[in-house]
Coordinates of all heavy atoms in Angstrom, one line a residue:
M183 N 0.8 -1.2 0.0 CA 0.0 0.0 0.0 C 0.9 1.2 0.0 O 1.9 1.3 0.7 CB -0.9 0.0 1.2 CG -1.8 1.2 1.3 SD -3.2 0.9 2.4 CE -2.6 1.6 3.9
K184 N 0.5 2.2 -0.8 CA 1.3 3.4 -0.9 C 0.9 4.4 0.2 O -0.3 4.5 0.4 CB 1.1 4.1 -2.3 CG 1.9 5.3 -2.5 CD 1.6 5.9 -3.9 CE 2.3 7.3 -4.0 NZ 1.9 8.0 -5.2
Y185 N 1.8 5.0 0.8 CA 1.5 5.9 1.9 C 1.7 7.4 1.4 O 2.7 7.7 0.8 CB 2.5 5.7 3.1 CG 2.3 6.7 4.2 CD1 1.3 6.6 5.1 CD2 3.2 7.8 4.3 CE1 1.2 7.6 6.1 CE2 3.1 8.7 5.3 CZ 2.1 8.6 6.2 OH 1.9 9.5 7.2
S186 N 0.7 8.2 1.6 CA 0.7 9.6 1.2 C 0.3 10.5 2.4 O -0.5 10.1 3.2 CB -0.2 9.9 0.1 OG 0.2 9.1 -1.1
K187 N 0.9 11.6 2.5 CA 0.6 12.5 3.6 C 0.0 13.8 3.1 O 0.5 14.5 2.2 CB 1.9 12.9 4.4 CG 1.7 13.7 5.6 CD 3.0 13.8 6.4 CE 2.7 14.7 7.6 NZ 4.0 14.9 8.3
Y188 N -1.2 14.1 3.6 CA -1.9 15.4 3.2 C -2.3 16.1 4.5 O -2.7 15.6 5.5 CB -3.2 15.0 2.4 CG -2.9 14.3 1.1 CD1 -3.0 12.9 1.1 CD2 -2.5 15.0 0.0 CE1 -2.7 12.3 -0.1 CE2 -2.2 14.4 -1.2 CZ -2.3 13.0 -1.2 OH -2.0 12.3 -2.4
S189 N -2.3 17.5 4.4 CA -2.7 18.3 5.5 C -4.2 18.4 5.5 O -4.8 18.5 6.6 CB -2.1 19.7 5.3 OG -0.7 19.7 5.5
I190 N -4.8 18.4 4.4 CA -6.3 18.5 4.3 C -6.8 17.5 3.2 O -6.2 17.4 2.2 CB -6.7 19.9 3.8 CG1 -6.2 21.0 4.9 CG2 -8.2 20.1 3.6 CD1 -6.3 22.4 4.4
V191 N -7.9 16.8 3.6 CA -8.6 16.0 2.7 C -10.0 16.5 2.5 O -10.7 16.7 3.5 CB -8.6 14.5 3.2 CG1 -9.4 13.6 2.2 CG2 -7.2 14.0 3.3
I192 N -10.4 16.8 1.2 CA -11.7 17.3 0.9 C -12.4 16.2 0.1 O -11.9 15.7 -0.9 CB -11.7 18.6 0.1 CG1 -11.0 19.6 1.0 CG2 -13.1 19.0 -0.3 CD1 -10.7 20.9 0.2
I193 N -13.6 15.8 0.6 CA -14.4 14.8 -0.1 C -15.5 15.5 -0.9 O -16.4 16.1 -0.3 CB -15.0 13.7 0.8 CG1 -13.8 13.0 1.5 CG2 -15.9 12.7 0.1 CD1 -14.1 12.0 2.5
G194 N -15.4 15.4 -2.2 CA -16.4 16.1 -3.1 C -15.7 17.1 -4.0 O -14.9 18.0 -3.5
S195 N -15.9 17.0 -5.3 CA -15.1 17.8 -6.2 C -16.1 18.8 -7.0 O -15.7 19.3 -8.0 CB -14.4 17.0 -7.2 OG -15.3 16.2 -8.0
G196 N -17.2 19.1 -6.3 CA -18.1 20.1 -6.9 C -17.6 21.5 -6.6 O -16.5 21.6 -6.1
I197 N -18.4 22.5 -6.8 CA -18.0 23.9 -6.5 C -17.5 24.1 -5.1 O -16.5 24.7 -4.8 CB -19.1 24.9 -6.9 CG1 -19.2 24.9 -8.4 CG2 -18.8 26.2 -6.3 CD1 -20.3 25.8 -8.9
A198 N -18.3 23.5 -4.2 CA -18.0 23.7 -2.7 C -16.6 23.1 -2.4 O -15.8 23.7 -1.7 CB -19.1 23.1 -1.9
G199 N -16.4 21.9 -2.9 CA -15.1 21.2 -2.6 C -13.9 21.9 -3.2 O -12.9 22.2 -2.5
L200 N -14.0 22.3 -4.5 CA -12.9 23.0 -5.2 C -12.7 24.4 -4.6 O -11.6 24.8 -4.4 CB -13.2 23.0 -6.7 CG -13.3 21.7 -7.4 CD1 -13.7 21.8 -8.8 CD2 -12.0 20.9 -7.2
Y201 N -13.8 25.1 -4.3 CA -13.6 26.5 -3.7 C -13.0 26.4 -2.4 O -12.1 27.2 -2.1 CB -15.0 27.1 -3.7 CG -14.9 28.5 -3.1 CD1 -14.6 29.6 -4.0 CD2 -15.3 28.8 -1.8 CE1 -14.6 30.9 -3.5 CE2 -15.3 30.1 -1.4 CZ -14.9 31.2 -2.2 OH -14.8 32.4 -1.8
S202 N -13.4 25.4 -1.6 CA -12.7 25.2 -0.3 C -11.2 24.9 -0.4 O -10.4 25.5 0.3 CB -13.4 24.0 0.5 OG -14.7 24.3 0.7
A203 N -10.9 24.1 -1.3 CA -9.5 23.8 -1.5 C -8.7 25.0 -1.9 O -7.6 25.3 -1.4 CB -9.3 22.7 -2.6
I204 N -9.2 25.8 -2.8 CA -8.5 27.0 -3.3 C -8.4 28.0 -2.1 O -7.3 28.5 -1.8 CB -9.3 27.7 -4.4 CG1 -9.2 26.9 -5.7 CG2 -8.8 29.1 -4.6 CD1 -10.1 27.3 -6.8
K205 N -9.5 28.3 -1.4 CA -9.4 29.2 -0.3 C -8.5 28.8 0.9 O -7.8 29.5 1.4 CB -10.9 29.5 0.3 CG -11.7 30.3 -0.6 CD -10.9 31.6 -0.9 CE -11.7 32.6 -1.6 NZ -11.0 33.8 -1.9
M206 N -8.5 27.5 1.2 CA -7.7 27.0 2.2 C -6.2 27.1 1.8 O -5.3 27.4 2.6 CB -8.0 25.5 2.6 CG -9.2 25.4 3.5 SD -9.5 23.7 4.0 CE -11.0 23.4 3.3
S207 N -5.9 26.8 0.6 CA -4.5 26.9 0.1 C -4.0 28.4 0.1 O -2.8 28.6 0.3 CB -4.4 26.3 -1.3 OG -5.0 27.1 -2.3
E208 N -4.9 29.3 -0.1 CA -4.6 30.7 -0.1 C -4.4 31.3 1.3 O -3.6 32.1 1.6 CB -5.6 31.6 -0.9 CG -5.7 31.3 -2.3 CD -6.8 32.0 -3.0 OE1 -7.7 32.6 -2.3 OE2 -6.8 32.0 -4.3
A209 N -5.3 30.8 2.2 CA -5.4 31.4 3.5 C -4.5 30.8 4.6 O -4.2 31.4 5.6 CB -6.9 31.4 4.0
M210 N -4.1 29.6 4.4 CA -3.4 28.8 5.4 C -2.0 28.4 5.0 O -1.8 28.2 3.8 CB -4.2 27.5 5.8 CG -5.6 27.8 6.2 SD -6.6 26.3 6.3 CE -5.8 25.4 7.5
H211 N -1.1 28.3 5.9 CA 0.2 27.7 5.6 C 0.0 26.2 5.8 O -0.2 25.7 6.9 CB 1.3 28.2 6.5 CG 2.6 27.5 6.4 ND1 3.3 27.6 5.2 CD2 3.2 26.6 7.2 CE1 4.4 26.8 5.4 NE2 4.3 26.2 6.6
I212 N 0.0 25.5 4.7 CA -0.2 24.1 4.7 C 1.1 23.4 4.5 O 1.7 23.5 3.4 CB -1.3 23.7 3.7 CG1 -2.6 24.4 3.9 CG2 -1.5 22.2 3.6 CD1 -3.6 24.3 2.8
P213 N 1.5 22.6 5.4 CA 2.8 21.9 5.3 C 2.8 20.8 4.2 O 3.8 20.6 3.5 CB 3.1 21.3 6.6 CG 1.8 21.2 7.3 CD 1.0 22.3 6.7
D214 N 1.7 20.2 4.0 CA 1.6 19.1 3.0 C 0.5 19.5 2.0 O -0.2 20.5 2.1 CB 1.3 17.8 3.7 CG 2.4 17.3 4.6 OD1 3.6 17.3 4.1 OD2 2.2 17.1 5.7
D215 N 0.3 18.7 1.1 CA -0.7 19.0 0.0 C -2.2 18.9 0.5 O -2.5 18.4 1.6 CB -0.5 18.0 -1.2 CG 0.8 18.2 -1.9 OD1 1.2 19.4 -1.9 OD2 1.3 17.3 -2.5
I216 N -3.1 19.3 -0.4 CA -4.5 19.1 -0.2 C -5.0 18.0 -1.2 O -4.6 18.1 -2.4 CB -5.3 20.4 -0.5 CG1 -4.9 21.5 0.4 CG2 -6.8 20.2 -0.5 CD1 -5.5 22.9 0.1
L217 N -5.7 17.1 -0.7 CA -6.2 16.0 -1.5 C -7.7 16.2 -1.7 O -8.5 16.4 -0.7 CB -6.0 14.6 -0.8 CG -6.7 13.4 -1.5 CD1 -6.0 13.2 -2.9 CD2 -6.5 12.2 -0.6
V218 N -8.2 16.3 -2.9 CA -9.6 16.4 -3.3 C -10.0 15.0 -3.9 O -9.5 14.6 -4.8 CB -9.9 17.5 -4.3 CG1 -11.4 17.6 -4.6 CG2 -9.4 18.9 -3.7
I219 N -11.0 14.4 -3.2 CA -11.5 13.1 -3.6 C -12.8 13.3 -4.4 O -13.7 14.0 -4.0 CB -11.7 12.2 -2.4 CG1 -10.4 11.9 -1.7 CG2 -12.4 10.9 -2.9 CD1 -10.5 11.2 -0.4
T220 N -12.8 12.7 -5.6 CA -14.0 12.7 -6.4 C -14.5 11.3 -6.7 O -13.7 10.4 -6.7 CB -13.7 13.5 -7.7 OG1 -14.9 13.6 -8.5 CG2 -12.6 12.8 -8.6
K221 N -15.8 11.1 -7.0 CA -16.3 9.8 -7.2 C -16.0 9.3 -8.6 O -16.2 8.2 -9.0 CB -17.8 9.8 -7.0 CG -18.6 10.7 -7.9 CD -20.1 10.8 -7.5 CE -20.8 11.9 -8.1 NZ -21.9 12.4 -7.5
S222 N -15.7 10.2 -9.5 CA -15.5 9.9 -10.9 C -14.3 10.7 -11.5 O -13.2 10.5 -11.1 CB -16.7 10.0 -11.7 OG -16.6 9.6 -13.0
I223 N -14.7 11.7 -12.3 CA -13.7 12.7 -12.8 C -14.2 14.1 -12.4 O -15.4 14.2 -12.1 CB -13.5 12.6 -14.4 CG1 -14.9 12.7 -15.1 CG2 -12.9 11.2 -14.7 CD1 -14.7 12.8 -16.6
L224 N -13.4 15.0 -12.5 CA -13.7 16.4 -12.0 C -15.0 17.0 -12.6 O -15.8 17.6 -12.0 CB -12.6 17.3 -12.1 CG -11.4 17.2 -11.1 CD1 -10.3 18.2 -11.4 CD2 -11.9 17.3 -9.7
S225 N -15.1 16.7 -13.9 CA -16.3 17.3 -14.6 C -17.6 16.5 -14.3 O -18.7 17.0 -14.7 CB -16.1 17.3 -16.1 OG -15.9 16.0 -16.6
E226 N -17.6 15.4 -13.6 CA -18.8 14.7 -13.2 C -19.2 15.0 -11.9 O -19.0 14.4 -10.9 CB -18.5 13.1 -13.3 CG -18.4 12.6 -14.7 CD -19.7 12.6 -15.4 OE1 -20.7 12.4 -14.9 OE2 -19.6 13.0 -16.6
S227 N -19.9 16.2 -11.8 CA -20.4 16.7 -10.5 C -21.7 17.4 -10.7 O -22.0 17.9 -11.8 CB -19.4 17.7 -9.8 OG -19.3 18.9 -10.5
N228 N -22.5 17.5 -9.7 CA -23.8 18.1 -9.8 C -23.6 19.6 -10.1 O -24.4 20.2 -10.9 CB -24.6 18.0 -8.6 CG -25.2 16.6 -8.4 OD1 -25.5 15.9 -9.4 ND2 -25.5 16.1 -7.2
S229 N -22.5 20.2 -9.6 CA -22.2 21.6 -9.9 C -22.0 21.8 -11.4 O -22.4 22.8 -11.9 CB -21.0 22.0 -9.1 OG -21.2 21.9 -7.7
N230 N -21.3 20.9 -12.0 CA -21.1 21.0 -13.4 C -22.4 20.9 -14.3 O -22.5 21.6 -15.3 CB -20.1 19.9 -13.9 CG -19.7 20.1 -15.3 OD1 -19.2 21.1 -15.7 ND2 -19.8 19.0 -16.1
Y231 N -23.3 20.1 -13.8 CA -24.6 20.0 -14.6 C -25.6 21.0 -14.2 O -26.6 21.2 -14.9 CB -25.1 18.6 -14.3 CG -24.3 17.5 -15.0 CD1 -23.7 16.6 -14.2 CD2 -24.1 17.5 -16.4 CE1 -22.9 15.6 -14.8 CE2 -23.4 16.5 -16.9 CZ -22.7 15.5 -16.2 OH -22.0 14.6 -16.7
A232 N -25.4 21.8 -13.1 CA -26.5 22.7 -12.7 C -26.6 23.8 -13.7 O -25.6 24.4 -14.2 CB -26.1 23.3 -11.3
Q233 N -27.8 24.1 -14.0 CA -28.1 25.2 -15.0 C -28.1 26.5 -14.4 O -27.7 27.5 -15.1 CB -29.5 24.9 -15.6 CG -29.7 23.6 -16.4 CD -29.2 23.7 -17.8 OE1 -29.3 24.7 -18.4 NE2 -28.6 22.6 -18.3
G234 N -28.4 26.6 -13.1 CA -28.4 27.9 -12.5 C -29.5 28.9 -12.9 O -30.3 28.5 -13.8
G235 N -29.5 30.1 -12.5 CA -30.4 31.1 -12.9 C -31.7 31.1 -12.0 O -31.8 30.3 -11.1
I236 N -32.5 32.1 -12.3 CA -33.7 32.2 -11.5 C -34.9 32.1 -12.5 O -34.9 32.7 -13.6 CB -33.8 33.6 -10.9 CG1 -32.7 33.7 -9.9 CG2 -35.1 33.9 -10.2 CD1 -32.5 35.1 -9.3
V237 N -35.9 31.4 -12.1 CA -37.1 31.2 -13.0 C -38.2 32.0 -12.5 O -38.5 32.0 -11.3 CB -37.5 29.7 -13.1 CG1 -38.7 29.5 -13.9 CG2 -36.4 28.8 -13.6
A238 N -38.8 32.8 -13.4 CA -39.9 33.7 -13.0 C -40.9 33.8 -14.1 O -40.6 33.7 -15.3 CB -39.4 35.1 -12.6
V239 N -42.2 34.0 -13.7 CA -43.2 34.2 -14.7 C -43.2 35.7 -15.1 O -43.3 36.6 -14.2 CB -44.6 33.8 -14.2 CG1 -45.7 34.2 -15.2 CG2 -44.7 32.4 -13.8
M240 N -43.0 36.0 -16.4 CA -42.8 37.3 -16.8 C -43.7 37.6 -18.1 O -43.2 37.7 -19.2 CB -41.4 37.6 -17.1 CG -40.4 37.4 -15.9 SD -38.7 37.8 -16.3 CE -38.8 39.5 -16.3
P241 N -45.0 37.7 -17.9 CA -45.9 37.9 -19.0 C -45.7 39.2 -19.8 O -46.1 39.3 -20.9 CB -47.3 37.8 -18.4 CG -47.1 38.1 -17.0 CD -45.7 37.7 -16.6
D242 N -45.0 40.2 -19.2 CA -44.8 41.4 -19.9 C -43.7 41.2 -21.0 O -43.7 42.0 -21.9 CB -44.3 42.5 -18.9 CG -43.1 42.1 -18.0 OD1 -43.1 41.0 -17.5 OD2 -42.3 42.9 -17.8
R243 N -42.9 40.2 -20.8 CA -41.8 39.9 -21.8 C -42.3 38.8 -22.8 O -41.8 38.7 -23.9 CB -40.5 39.5 -21.2 CG -39.9 40.7 -20.4 CD -38.6 40.2 -19.9 NE -38.0 41.4 -19.3 CZ -36.7 41.6 -19.2 NH1 -35.8 40.7 -19.8 NH2 -36.2 42.6 -18.6
N244 N -43.2 37.9 -22.3 CA -43.7 36.8 -23.1 C -45.1 36.6 -22.8 O -45.5 36.1 -21.7 CB -42.9 35.6 -22.8 CG -43.3 34.4 -23.6 OD1 -44.3 34.4 -24.4 ND2 -42.7 33.2 -23.4
K245 N -46.0 37.0 -23.7 CA -47.4 37.0 -23.5 C -48.0 35.6 -23.2 O -49.0 35.4 -22.5 CB -48.2 37.6 -24.7 CG -47.7 39.0 -25.1 CD -48.6 40.0 -24.4 CE -48.2 41.4 -24.9 NZ -47.8 42.3 -23.9
K246 N -47.3 34.6 -23.7 CA -47.7 33.2 -23.4 C -47.2 32.6 -22.1 O -47.6 31.5 -21.7 CB -47.2 32.3 -24.6 CG -47.8 32.7 -25.9 CD -47.2 31.8 -27.0 CE -47.7 32.2 -28.4 NZ -47.2 31.3 -29.4
D247 N -46.4 33.4 -21.4 CA -45.9 32.9 -20.1 C -46.9 32.9 -19.0 O -47.8 33.8 -18.9 CB -44.7 33.8 -19.7 CG -43.8 33.2 -18.7 OD1 -44.0 31.9 -18.4 OD2 -42.9 33.8 -18.2
S248 N -46.9 31.8 -18.2 CA -47.9 31.7 -17.1 C -47.3 30.8 -16.0 O -46.5 30.0 -16.3 CB -49.2 31.2 -17.6 OG -49.1 29.8 -18.0
V249 N -48.0 30.9 -14.8 CA -47.6 30.0 -13.7 C -47.9 28.5 -14.1 O -47.1 27.6 -13.9 CB -48.4 30.3 -12.4 CG1 -48.1 29.3 -11.4 CG2 -48.0 31.7 -11.9
E250 N -49.0 28.3 -14.8 CA -49.4 27.0 -15.2 C -48.4 26.4 -16.2 O -48.0 25.2 -16.1 CB -50.8 27.0 -15.9 CG -51.9 27.3 -14.9 CD -52.0 28.8 -14.6 OE1 -51.5 29.6 -15.3 OE2 -52.6 29.1 -13.5
L251 N -47.9 27.2 -17.1 CA -46.8 26.7 -18.0 C -45.6 26.3 -17.3 O -45.0 25.3 -17.5 CB -46.5 27.8 -19.0 CG -45.5 27.5 -20.1 CD1 -46.0 26.3 -21.0 CD2 -45.2 28.7 -20.9
H252 N -45.2 27.0 -16.3 CA -44.0 26.7 -15.5 C -44.2 25.4 -14.7 O -43.3 24.6 -14.6 CB -43.6 27.9 -14.5 CG -42.9 29.0 -15.2 ND1 -41.6 29.3 -15.0 CD2 -43.4 29.9 -16.1 CE1 -41.3 30.4 -15.8 NE2 -42.4 30.7 -16.4
I253 N -45.4 25.2 -14.1 CA -45.7 24.0 -13.4 C -45.6 22.8 -14.3 O -45.1 21.8 -13.9 CB -47.0 24.2 -12.7 CG1 -46.9 25.2 -11.6 CG2 -47.5 22.8 -12.1 CD1 -48.3 25.6 -10.9
S254 N -46.2 22.9 -15.5 CA -46.2 21.8 -16.4 C -44.8 21.5 -16.9 O -44.5 20.3 -17.2 CB -47.2 22.0 -17.6 OG -46.7 23.0 -18.5

């Protein structure tokens, strides 16, 4: 078994995990490396697939827009 030494281990490679790794590396004197563990590859995270944005009914911009349309 290979032995490795890390100061910090972060489980999760989404935005929260990667942001935490960056901020900790900037703010702290870390004697050893930071390990980020991912379940697959870095691009396979919910953060990567999230569309983001805010959804709102805006009939003044789209006459066909309605609450019912958003629900369906």
